[in-house]
Every structure is written in structure tokens, then in C-alpha cells.
Amino acid sequence: MSTFRRRPARLVALTATATALALSAAACGSSGSDGTSSAAAPSAAGGAVPAQYDLKAAGCPSTVVLQTDWNPESEHGGQYQLLGPNPKINSGAKSVTGELVAHGGVGTGVKLEIRAGGPAVGFQTVTSQLYKDSNITLGYVSTDEQIALSKTQPTVALLAGLEKSPQIIQWSPDKHPDWKTIADIGKTNTKVLYFQGAAYMDYFTGSGILKASQIDGSYDGTPTNFVASGGDVAVQGFATSEPYTYAHEIRSWNKPMKYQLIADAGFNFYQQAIGVRKDKLAALTPCLQKLIPIMQQGIVDFVGNPAATNKLILNLVDKYNNGWVYSAGVANYAVSTMKSLGIVGNGSNSTLGDFDDTRLQKLIDILGPIYQQQNKPIQAGLKPSDLVDGSLLDAKIGLGS
């Protein structure tokens, strides 16, 4: 079981409504007998590929392979946005491949394959997949995973797909009307359910935000124990999912929840950053100089007009059929929440996807001692510049630009 297994908290959370929601997801996607589906953007009608988008000429692989950290969902929408029309769905491999298109549906001369993570790879880390399969070009990497594996499997993040992690601790406002923050929970003895091995919880207990005696790592991804407690306990989740599903899709609860982002409680790591193996960066740089700005713009385009790509995502969930339940309601809620909470955003400037060195250094300072105590020493003298490289970003691309 991986230390960085983040998404299984949502794998079976909606089993009580799985059948109804799966039917809804299937209805939202359209596919032919060959398993193809229309993606977000139409392809440019013939003609030469514009030089600024010509990934083939830039030396990119004929198929750029992206390994994600979970099943298709709206948090990944900026990447699925880059699939051209009628991509081929491989239900067995849990992957989808199509023409890689830039802003406006312009072809790039190469294809894009997006592979699901989580259950599709036995809940192994994305980093392990990058080092196991040399055909993978890019993968989702999180700062805590990068720091922990900096000595043995180093990666470099190139684009912050999410400005903030959507991970949360949530609670019932009816049962705990005075709570506004995670620190408020720590002033009580209330049990906090979470997925065992999460680095943020080591930070919360080590810094005194929560008590070691009140955390419970037995969370299995279902709402069962929370509902059975009558809302007395707090539970981990994702701002882009659980507040909606608990209020609208978990019939045994069907009440609002309150929460705080883990990022706003002091553990502000980059989740779902797009990166590469460190030893492959130099060779891939000519390709990435053109590709990374295309990926930046893909996120902007998705957030601005998510409907078609969300339709593809729902169709992929239906075709992959591996127990993951994802409704149109959750997909739409995820996008609106990402925008309203700054989960996708420009940060402190006008550029989408760049990194803050001060924030990264704080995470190194937090996690270094934690991993040392767990007998997982990190790279000696680790610096933010060892973890990220923002030089390939286009500073002019951002939300609202």
C-alpha cells in the first residue's frame, strides 16, 4: 500500500448510489460501437501544423504518454482537454489515445495517451510507473512524493496543474457548529478519520494542530463510519467531491458538510503537478519547450468551457467500469469549486502553473524530519530547484489573460 495513495478515499464512497450514478454517467457520454468518444476540441481541418505547435518537429515522441494518479475526473480536465476528436478508448488498459491538439483544436503532429492511475496500476505511485515504464513521457507528481523519493527516484515538476491541493478535513456543521478550521478540531478529542500513511497527518500531529490520540487511520473510503457516528467524527475528503456527494448523493446522510483545505491549514503542497524523471529532462527539453505551454493553455481552456471534456471524462469512467463512481453533478461541482477556491489559479501572479520556492522550502523543512524519522532519508541538501523547473512555462498564460 503506497504512502501516497490519495484518491482511494473516494473509490467506494458512493456505493449506495452506484447503479443510478453509473447510468447517469453513461447517459452523459456518447460512444460508437468501436468505443470512441468525442473530446473537448475539434481538430483543425487539414493544413500544416503551425510552427509554435509542431511537437513532432520539436522532437516529441510520436505518442506523448501521460500517467495520471487516479481515474478520470474533472481535476484532470486540463489534460483530457488536449485530446482531439474521436479518441480511442482502451477499457482493458484504462487508457485513452487521440490526436494531441492545442488551443482551438489545432493539431500538433503527435498523439496523446492518458493512462488512469490508482486502481488501474494497483495503487502504485506515479513515480514508480515513470521509473518502471520508459514509454511514459510525463506523470502527475506531488511535492511530498517528490521529497520522499528525491534520493531514489528523483522527478522534476514542470507545471503545477493545481495551485492548491483539494484535500480537506470535513465535518458536520450541525454537530460541530463552532468549528471553522482543522485547528478547532484539535481543541477537542473528536476522532478524525483519514487514510493511513498520509504525510499531512504527520505534520498536523507533529505541529500540534491535531492530537496523535484523536487521529484514526482506518478510513476505508466509504462514508459508513462517519454516518454511523451520526456526524460526531471528522473525516478526510476532497473539496471537489465529498461536500457535494455527502449533501446530494449519499442517501444515508444528505446533509451539508463544512471543511477546511489541508493547504489552508499549513500543509500547502503541490498535488498533481506534471513532471518527468530527472534523468530524462535534458533529452525531453526541446519537446517540452513547446508542449508545456500547450498544457498550460489546455487548463485555461478547460476551466473556461468544461462541458465537452467533462462529457468525455464521464464516458471514460463508464467504459473503464472499475468501481469508480462519478456523476455529472460531481464533475460540474468540481470545476466550480476549483475556480472559487483557487484550486486552479494563477497564485500570486498572472501565470498559471508556476511554483513558489518559499512554499517548496517550507515543505522540505516539514517533511525532511518526518521522513528521516520513518527511516526514509531524502536527498542531502535538497532545494526547491531540485524539485521543480518553471523555465518552460509561458508567463503570459494564465486565467483571465
Side-chain angles (χ1 to χ4, degrees):
M1 186 177 297
S2 169
T3 301
F4 310 101
R5 181 181 160 193
R6 302 194 179 284
R7 293 298 192 190
R10 295 156 61 173
L11 176 60
V12 290
L14 306 181
T15 49
T17 57
T19 301
L21 294 181
L23 289 171
S24 172
C28 291
S30 61
S31 63
S33 59
D34 62 350
T36 63
S37 171
S38 293
S43 181
V49 175
Q52 71 267 35
Y53 297 143
D54 195 339
L55 298 181
K56 182 178 181 181
C60 287
S62 59
T63 299
V64 173
V65 179
L66 172 66
Q67 176 65 60
T68 71
D69 63 353
W70 192 240
N71 292 296
E73 56 186 351
S74 291
E75 289 95 314
H76 304 175
Q79 290 75 66
Y80 287 102
Q81 177 82 16
L82 302 178
L83 288 166
N86 302 313
K88 302 296 183 182
I89 300 171
N90 187 328
S91 300
K94 308 294 186 287
S95 66
V96 58
T97 304
E99 180 185 11
L100 198 163
V101 298
H103 180 62
V106 177
T108 63
V110 302
K111 293 182 178 181
L112 173 64
E113 176 185 339
I114 302 178
R115 299 180 181 180
V121 295
F123 303 107
Q124 297 179 70
T125 65
V126 173
T127 303
S128 72
Q129 298 303 297
L130 287 170
Y131 273 84
K132 181 184 297 182
D133 186 347
S134 61
N135 290 321
I136 300 174
T137 316
L138 301 157
Y140 288 178
V141 293
S142 296
T143 313
D144 55 344
E145 181 175 326
Q146 285 189 279
I147 293 170
L149 300 176
S150 58
K151 191 173 182 179
T152 57
Q153 294 180 324
T155 54
V156 179
L158 308 171
L159 166 62
L162 301 179
E163 176 65 23
K164 284 185 176 182
S165 166
Q167 287 192 279
I168 58 173
I169 300 294
Q170 58 180 347
W171 59 86
S172 165
D174 293 336
K175 287 288 185 177
H176 306 289
D178 297 330
W179 291 358
K180 293 181 174 60
T181 66
I182 295 170
D184 291 335
I185 305 174
K187 296 172 185 176
T188 72
N189 293 317
T190 305
K191 183 183 294 186
V192 181
L193 302 175
Y194 78 106
F195 191 84
Q196 184 70 43
Y200 70 80
M201 195 59 80
D202 292 319
Y203 165 69
F204 286 156
T205 55
S207 61
I209 293 172
L210 294 174
K211 303 180 185 72
S213 60
Q214 71 181 137
I215 64 170
D216 182 341
S218 65
Y219 183 55
D220 63 358
T222 74
T224 304
N225 290 337
F226 175 84
V227 173
S229 78
D232 285 338
V233 303
V235 61
Q236 76 164 62
F238 291 79
T240 46
S241 177
E242 275 83 356
Y244 180 89
T245 59
Y246 272 69
H248 300 288
E249 296 181 351
I250 297 175
R251 294 174 183 171
S252 55
W253 184 253
N254 273 1
K255 289 182 284 188
M257 301 286 281
K258 293 290 186 181
Y259 60 87
Q260 185 183 27
L261 290 169
I262 286 167
D264 291 341
F267 195 80
N268 195 11
F269 72 109
Y270 289 99
Q271 185 168 11
Q272 198 182 300
I274 295 170
V276 298
R277 281 173 47 167
K278 194 167 191 175
D279 60 351
K280 288 192 170 187
L281 178 57
L284 283 170
T285 292
C287 163
L288 297 169
Q289 285 173 331
K290 291 186 183 293
L291 176 58
I292 293 301
I294 290 172
M295 300 188 85
Q296 277 181 278
Q297 187 64 49
I299 296 170
V300 174
D301 292 344
F302 170 72
V303 171
N305 186 15
T309 298
N310 269 343
K311 183 178 180 180
L312 169 64
I313 287 169
L314 290 164
N315 192 37
L316 291 173
V317 170
D318 180 52
K319 290 292 187 293
Y320 292 173
N321 191 28
N322 66 353
W324 171 240
V325 179
Y326 202 65
S327 71
V330 177
N332 294 330
Y333 173 83
V335 176
S336 63
T337 301
M338 286 192 290
K339 291 193 289 187
S340 65
L341 297 182
I343 290 170
V344 171
N346 299 338
S348 59
N349 56 26
S350 58
T351 301
L352 182 140
D354 58 357
F355 300 92
D356 183 321
D357 282 356
T358 301
R359 179 173 157 188
L360 288 163
Q361 186 60 55
K362 181 178 179 181
L363 286 160
I364 293 170
D365 294 341
I366 287 171
L367 289 167
I370 289 173
Y371 292 136
Q372 182 69 41
Q373 188 175 18
Q374 295 174 355
N375 198 29
K376 300 174 184 175
I378 66 174
Q379 175 187 317
L382 187 68
K383 306 182 298 298
S385 59
D386 296 316
L387 301 174
V388 303
D389 181 353
S391 67
L392 305 176
L393 296 164
D394 184 338
K396 300 185 295 296
I397 297 176
L399 294 182
S401 60

